[in-house]
Amino acid sequence: MWRYQINKQKWTLYIFIMLHSISIMAQIKLTSLPEVMKATSFIVTDQYIYVAEPYRVHIYSLDFKHIKSFGKKGEGPEEFNAFFKIQINFLNDKLYVNCRRKFLVYNPDGEFLKEFRMKFSEFGIMPINKGYFGNQVNIDRKTGKKTLKIILLDNEKVEKKVFYKNESKINLDLTRPYIIKYQDPIIGYIGPKHFIIYKPGKDFSLMLYHHSGQLNRILTIPYKKITIPQSYKNAFIANRKKPLKGRLMSYYNELMKNATFRFPPHFSPCRTVKADKYYIYVFRDIPDFSKYGIWIINYQGEILKRTKIPRNRIGWLHRGIYYSVIENEDSEEWELWSKKLFP
């Protein structure tokens, strides 16, 4: 009898471990989103889920009940005039809708507060509590000189601090083949408490600045270089050469058709960075082009988890959970799915 009880406990423990592993690895459907016609981006906060379409935003509670929808295409007040698609972000307890030509600001529950217009060179800049932060790009149309800055501006958009500056030259002669280089990105991301900046260097380091512009700490993260295989290069090129639909895409499609691609020996240590108040999420290119490698890091620089997520999905990471919005072509509706990555 005693021997049977021990075996039973072992089997119980084994089954529990299996079920726990499945719950972590499996992606779970949370709900359908019948209000959504064409999702382009979405975010998850501690209060709400926001799903953006080209000219509309939907708000859901954390138990997936539809609360509100707002927005419409146009040039007037409270109207979205994005050329491609709007981007949404949540910062300092406010929802920001970036239409590339202007920002619209809302309360968390979707109540409109204000809007303001942006210049072409300011498309990569986000408003913060006191001023603006982000990427500013200027191109000299005569010489082809391109200047990229990661900057902090005051409320009057006067330059307050330059975190990074790079100058390069672009090809303005459209008769010459277009060259696409796989290279290290320059990243300036606004986290809940810090600006997180990555720039290429010998080490893989993330610089964390307070929103005042003061350096808080530098996280140097060990990594092993990974050679870029030919299979990845082929998939990368095929993806870029895939024709885009739309009457304004013909020029881009022709450019990609005749483009030349260049690759370094190794992957960049970092493709992009996201963060919430709990973790920093480092996106990495890996040999499997269909996926991103993800490092979940705490604010002391410790790697807590290494995992993977699909590359070509509309996704968001929050509290160690990967959320994705997926179009179900069979039922012709959009669905919200999740996958627990950590802990």
Side-chain angles (χ1 to χ4, degrees):
M1 182 69 181
W2 176 249
R3 184 177 179 182
Y4 167 77
Q5 186 67 28
I6 291 176
N7 289 340
K8 183 178 179 182
Q9 287 177 353
K10 285 184 177 180
W11 274 105
T12 302
L13 178 62
Y14 177 70
I15 292 170
F16 171 78
I17 291 172
M18 279 188 65
L19 291 174
H20 180 68
S21 300
I22 291 170
S23 69
I24 290 176
M25 294 300 293
Q27 197 169 9
I28 302 168
K29 178 184 173 182
L30 301 177
T31 187
S32 297
L33 304 169
E35 299 80 14
V36 178
M37 296 294 106
K38 185 179 181 182
T40 56
S41 63
F42 87 109
I43 55 179
V44 180
T45 71
D46 286 338
Q47 289 180 286
Y48 297 113
I49 299 166
Y50 302 92
V51 181
E53 299 191 80
Y55 300 102
R56 197 156 177 78
V57 176
H58 306 279
I59 304 178
Y60 298 87
S61 63
L62 294 183
D63 57 356
F64 319 122
K65 294 177 181 176
H66 179 252
I67 297 173
K68 183 178 182 179
S69 298
F70 62 90
K72 63 179 181 178
K73 183 178 180 180
E75 298 288 339
E78 299 185 52
E79 293 179 340
F80 300 163
N81 58 1
F83 184 70
F84 292 106
K85 63 181 181 179
I86 61 173
Q87 295 288 336
I88 53 177
N89 202 354
F90 195 84
L91 184 68
N92 300 323
D93 208 33
K94 291 183 179 64
L95 177 70
Y96 293 91
V97 178
N98 182 356
C99 292
R100 299 183 184 270
R101 299 177 191 174
K102 67 176 180 179
F103 271 101
L104 298 93
V105 187
Y106 297 84
N107 276 343
D109 59 3
E111 179 188 353
F112 176 75
L113 297 177
K114 61 180 179 179
E115 65 178 54
F116 47 91
R117 297 195 172 271
M118 306 291 282
K119 298 178 183 176
F120 175 82
S121 62
E122 298 170 342
F123 286 173
I125 292 175
M126 274 289 298
I128 55 175
N129 255 349
K130 295 181 179 179
Y132 304 83
F133 171 85
N135 300 333
Q136 185 182 62
V137 179
N138 286 295
I139 298 174
D140 188 321
R141 300 293 177 182
K142 293 182 179 179
T143 63
K145 180 182 176 183
K146 176 183 174 182
T147 304
L148 167 65
K149 293 181 183 179
I150 299 178
I151 57 172
L152 177 64
L153 307 175
D154 64 17
N155 286 329
E156 305 302 319
K157 297 184 183 176
V158 176
E159 195 172 280
K160 190 175 176 182
K161 185 180 181 69
V162 177
F163 300 94
Y164 177 82
K165 180 178 179 180
N166 175 263
E167 293 182 347
S168 59
K169 197 163 186 177
I170 62 174
N171 175 26
L172 296 178
D173 182 2
L174 300 181
T175 62
R176 294 167 54 192
Y178 193 70
I179 298 174
I180 296 178
K181 298 178 182 178
Y182 175 97
Q183 55 192 359
D184 274 352
I186 313 298
I187 299 167
Y189 181 79
I190 306 176
K193 299 179 180 178
H194 303 89
F195 303 137
I196 303 173
I197 295 177
Y198 166 75
K199 54 187 179 183
K202 292 183 179 179
D203 300 319
F204 174 31
S205 297
L206 298 176
M207 293 177 288
L208 275 57
Y209 289 85
H210 286 299
H211 287 180
S212 63
Q214 181 181 357
L215 180 64
N216 177 252
R217 66 178 73 114
I218 299 175
L219 306 180
T220 300
I221 303 160
Y223 79 100
K224 184 179 179 181
K225 290 184 177 180
I226 301 176
T227 301
I228 303 178
Q230 189 60 46
S231 59
Y232 180 94
K233 296 177 184 178
N234 294 341
F236 180 94
I237 293 170
N239 183 66
R240 285 298 187 95
K241 286 183 175 287
K242 188 186 302 179
L244 297 180
K245 296 179 181 179
R247 59 187 179 86
L248 298 175
M249 293 295 107
S250 57
Y251 170 73
Y252 173 85
N253 292 336
E254 193 63 28
L255 212 58
M256 291 300 105
K257 183 179 177 182
N258 302 309
T260 300
F261 295 82
R262 295 178 181 173
F263 296 87
H266 303 100
F267 285 116
S268 165
C270 176
R271 179 48 48 196
T272 190
V273 173
K274 306 290 183 184
D276 54 29
K277 62 184 179 183
Y278 309 98
Y279 309 111
I280 300 171
Y281 308 97
V282 176
F283 289 62
R284 308 187 71 224
D285 290 328
I286 57 177
D288 182 354
F289 183 77
S290 67
K291 296 182 175 65
Y292 278 121
I294 297 290
W295 287 358
I296 302 176
I297 299 172
N298 63 20
Y299 279 87
Q300 286 70 50
E302 300 174 279
I303 300 176
L304 305 174
K305 177 85 173 182
R306 293 178 174 88
T307 185
K308 302 172 186 177
I309 63 171
R311 174 184 289 264
N312 294 321
R313 282 192 182 169
I314 302 168
W316 190 261
L317 286 155
H318 182 66
R319 301 187 78 164
I321 299 173
Y322 171 63
Y323 297 90
S324 58
V325 177
I326 303 170
E327 184 178 16
N328 186 329
E329 295 182 357
D330 294 331
S331 59
E332 296 183 346
E333 65 180 2
W334 289 80
E335 300 170 343
L336 178 64
W337 291 66
S338 75
K339 178 181 179 182
K340 188 174 182 181
L341 303 181
F342 182 84

